[in-house]
Amino acid sequence: MDDSHQPDDEITWSSLSRWEKFLTVFGMTGLVLGIITAVLAALLLGLLAVAAVSLHLVEADGIGTLFWGVALLLPCSALAAVFTYPLLFGIRLTSFASRTKEATEAALSVATTFLAVLFTEYFTPGLRVQHPWLPALLGALLFALVNLVVREMGNRTSKGARGRLSRSRF
């Protein structure tokens, strides 16, 4: 591997042509819009899953209500975080064991999601929920399950990469 990297070899924004700048901005805009679309699609899928399971508890005026729910979920999550993040920072400053801190942080994450779904149910126009805590609990548990699956997949990927690296050295 060549470690003779010279500072003159670096590409700067000012050294790019107009066409290269346009392509860079176009590509980054597409990447950001793709990520936003994927996040919104995942939120809508989660909202549809909770609404489908809680079919008799949730009444909506139409499909537009679901899109309102997705649009309001992020601001409601920020509102819920206002209540739970001071507790999270307090837990991080304590001298508890790391395992206790991790379990408490996970519980606070579920509580934040629970509050966010409750706020979303309350603020979404055209949405009527008979027992709002049941769909909120279902949404929080679904969110926790997705987090566990993603973490497990990440652990398997990193273990597989480490295993391939250790085998290739021999």
Side-chain angles (χ1 to χ4, degrees):
M1 198 162 143
D2 187 20
D3 291 335
S4 62
H5 178 69
Q6 299 294 327
D8 297 334
D9 294 343
E10 293 182 17
I11 298 173
T12 61
W13 183 256
S14 59
S15 69
L16 295 176
S17 68
R18 280 188 174 191
W19 179 248
E20 290 170 330
K21 288 179 182 178
F22 170 76
L23 288 177
T24 303
V25 169
F26 185 73
M28 292 306 288
T29 303
L31 178 65
V32 167
L33 289 175
I35 290 171
I36 289 171
T37 302
V39 167
L40 289 177
L43 288 174
L44 184 62
L45 183 64
L47 185 66
L48 286 172
V50 170
V53 172
S54 307
L55 191 60
H56 300 292
L57 299 174
V58 179
E59 294 178 15
D61 288 344
I63 193 76
T65 303
L66 295 176
F67 289 106
W68 269 109
V70 168
L72 290 173
L73 188 58
L74 292 178
C76 289
S77 296
L79 180 63
V82 167
F83 295 109
T84 58
Y85 271 31
L87 295 171
L88 180 66
F89 290 134
I91 293 297
R92 289 182 180 172
L93 294 175
T94 62
S95 61
F96 293 140
S98 63
R99 191 169 178 101
T100 304
K101 283 184 181 181
E102 288 175 6
T104 308
E105 288 178 7
L108 281 174
S109 175
V110 171
T112 304
T113 306
F114 178 76
L115 283 174
V117 175
L118 275 178
F119 291 150
T120 303
E121 290 173 354
Y122 179 74
F123 291 121
T124 302
L127 186 68
R128 291 171 303 283
V129 183
Q130 290 180 2
H131 301 286
W133 65 274
L134 286 173
L137 182 62
L138 180 64
L141 293 176
L142 179 67
F143 180 75
L145 179 67
V146 168
N147 278 338
L148 288 174
V149 168
V150 167
R151 182 178 294 159
E152 183 62 31
M153 288 174 55
N155 288 343
R156 285 186 182 183
T157 303
S158 65
K159 285 180 184 176
R162 277 187 269 146
R164 284 191 299 272
L165 286 176
S166 64
R167 285 189 298 245
S168 65
R169 290 182 183 167
F170 293 112

